[in-house]
Amino acid sequence: MHASQIRIDTVTVVAVGAVLALLSVVLVPWRWDAWKHRRTGRSLSTLVAVVAVVTACGLAVNSAGSFYPTLGSLLGTSPNPGEGTVADAGPDGRDLARTLATVGARAAAGHGSMLHLTVTGRRTGLTRDVDVYLPAGYTEPEWADFRFPVIEWIPHFPGEPRQVATLYGLPDLLDREIGAHRMPPTVVIVPDPNGEPRMAHDSECVDAVQGPADDTYLAADLRGWALSELRVRSDREGWAIAGWSSGGYCALNLASRHPQWYSVAVSMSGYDRAPQDVETGDLFHGRADIQHANDVTATLREHPSPLRMLVTADAAAGDEVAALGRLRAAVAPPAELTTWVLPASGHNLDAVRSDLPPVLAWLDAQLGNPVGRTDPPPGQATEGQILPWPLPDPGTPGSLHGTDAAV
């Protein structure tokens, strides 16, 4: 058993932590005068009690919020990054053809397939784990000459691709929606937005000043790889981006910064501005222009584009509701904003799982269908093309800036 299999968010773990904390606290007065070496015994027993109480409280808070579902996520390591997938397609998906036999076998039973691979960015040089969901129709002969729409799904911090399958249950939901013809056959790309180690390393999917070019990797590098290796649509109407919590901010920010590539964005319980806290640190290092260019509200107000957005907020989460209000005030045509204030259920994975079906139903109404191979090739100008707006230069090697839109 490895760290990624050890759950630390269950009721049992919380109960055990609480019992141990209680026993540790009781031990202090009970043994206060009974220690052979009183000073040492008193000091150690008090220290153990304090650590046990803090740990028990941390486990309870973690369970309520599902922040670190496993010991592996807490430690910032992924000894089994392929968990939740059915095959490994290797570096840059070079073994993708080999996995198609597995994909085809699962398709015969009406199941799509989540594959694990790594992608090294052509611009940034970053290498990250990526999971790719291929719908059941991907290997069927009647779909051989079609390109599929794409949803890029950004995991929450400190999440990683495998958690979208194992904790969100997204592949099973996709199978159900696609199988019932409520959703077109769709390719879903789930990248790692942070890399390892994850502890105190929340990238917020931005091209950080003096940091990695995560925005460029997620928007340009991943798109370029997908257009090269997968049968996916190249037009912006064929691409949507979604996420929960920090992944929701990532989705809104990437779509509004790169409307030439995305037409649809979904933020589930996200926000509109990157925080500056212990986990995130200072992403902008005093560069007000870079910080402003990653403020979704400001971008939508100053660079309006034909984006269709769904933003949800928990009714009891003041920060989420406040962000939703700012977005409502900023959005104007040609952008379209749909907002849902959901019943209070907490910022946790149970809420995500209950909200996913209606979110997928909304996406179904926005996604285009698979199209024939006769659509314009990647990079070719198309009618109604949306041009990039000039991004400030963060000075990060490989990052997109100005009106550069090369993948």
Side-chain angles (χ1 to χ4, degrees):
M1 179 176 290
H2 45 64
S4 68
Q5 294 176 305
I6 302 174
R7 295 296 295 268
I8 60 173
D9 63 344
T10 64
V11 173
T12 300
V13 170
V14 174
V16 170
V19 169
L20 291 176
L22 179 61
L23 292 175
S24 299
V25 171
V26 170
L27 180 67
V28 175
W30 180 56
R31 294 286 300 176
W32 190 255
D33 293 320
W35 298 107
K36 182 177 180 180
H37 302 285
R38 289 187 178 182
R39 180 174 296 180
T40 301
R42 290 173 176 178
S43 298
L44 288 177
S45 62
T46 301
L47 177 62
V48 168
V50 170
V51 171
V53 169
V54 171
T55 301
C57 292
L59 288 171
V61 171
N62 180 68
S63 179
S66 294
F67 300 113
Y68 299 92
T70 66
L71 182 60
S73 62
L74 174 65
L75 298 176
T77 180
S78 300
N80 184 19
E83 183 182 3
T85 60
V86 300
D88 197 302
D92 291 319
R94 65 186 60 167
D95 296 327
L96 186 62
R98 177 181 54 78
T99 69
L100 293 183
T102 299
V103 175
R106 290 177 55 81
H111 298 299
S113 297
M114 188 73 90
L115 308 176
H116 172 260
L117 48 97
T118 59
V119 173
T120 299
R122 189 177 303 170
R123 290 183 63 112
T124 64
L126 295 174
T127 300
R128 299 277 173 82
D129 288 301
V130 177
D131 287 353
V132 175
Y133 171 87
L134 299 181
Y138 194 87
T139 55
E140 294 177 2
E142 58 265 36
W143 291 102
D145 292 325
F146 284 82
R147 296 182 180 182
F148 295 84
V150 176
I151 302 173
E152 188 176 340
W153 202 285
I154 309 296
H156 65 283
F157 178 82
E160 50 192 304
R162 63 195 177 90
Q163 293 183 356
V164 173
T166 59
L167 300 180
Y168 294 14
L170 185 60
D172 291 340
L173 285 173
L174 291 167
D175 284 352
R176 187 177 71 192
E177 295 300 305
I178 293 171
H181 305 290
R182 291 190 294 264
M183 188 174 185
T186 303
V187 170
V188 180
I189 301 173
V190 188
D192 183 344
N194 293 295
E196 296 185 15
R198 291 181 181 81
M199 186 71 76
H201 177 59
D202 184 2
S203 74
E204 295 291 331
C205 307
V206 306
D207 283 351
V209 178
Q210 302 175 25
D214 289 299
D215 175 311
T216 298
Y217 176 83
L218 295 167
D221 283 345
L222 206 58
R223 176 184 173 84
W225 172 83
L227 293 178
S228 173
E229 302 298 329
L230 302 174
R231 296 200 325 273
V232 296
R233 290 178 55 166
S234 60
D235 58 310
R236 66 182 300 271
E237 286 296 325
W239 280 71
I241 186 167
W244 170 64
S245 190
S246 61
Y249 164 73
C250 291
L252 290 180
N253 196 40
L254 290 171
S256 60
R257 283 169 58 86
H258 309 292
Q260 72 273 18
W261 292 329
Y262 302 101
S263 62
V264 176
V266 175
S267 170
M268 300 171 62
S269 295
Y271 38 91
D272 60 337
R273 300 166 182 166
Q276 184 172 337
D277 52 27
V278 174
E279 291 179 332
T280 307
D282 184 0
L283 297 170
F284 308 114
H285 292 277
R287 287 284 302 275
D289 58 334
I290 304 299
Q291 184 172 10
H292 186 75
N294 286 279
D295 182 324
V296 178
T297 300
T299 299
L300 292 174
R301 183 183 301 113
E302 298 167 12
H303 305 281
S305 56
L307 287 172
R308 301 185 298 280
M309 295 168 286
L310 169 64
V311 179
T312 76
D314 185 283
D319 56 341
E320 296 175 19
V321 174
L324 190 149
R326 290 191 294 269
L327 290 167
R328 283 173 174 162
V331 168
E336 300 175 18
L337 177 65
T338 300
T339 59
W340 296 348
V341 178
L342 302 172
S345 54
H347 196 75
N348 54 61
L349 290 170
D350 287 338
V352 177
R353 286 188 285 264
S354 66
D355 295 343
L356 267 176
V359 165
L360 290 179
W362 184 88
L363 276 169
D364 173 35
Q366 310 301 321
L367 282 171
N369 292 313
V371 298
R373 289 180 180 269
T374 56
D375 66 324
Q380 180 173 315
T382 60
E383 184 179 355
Q385 182 184 26
I386 305 301
L387 298 177
W389 58 274
L391 301 170
D393 184 1
T396 307
S399 63
L400 292 162
H401 55 273
T403 56
D404 182 9
V407 297

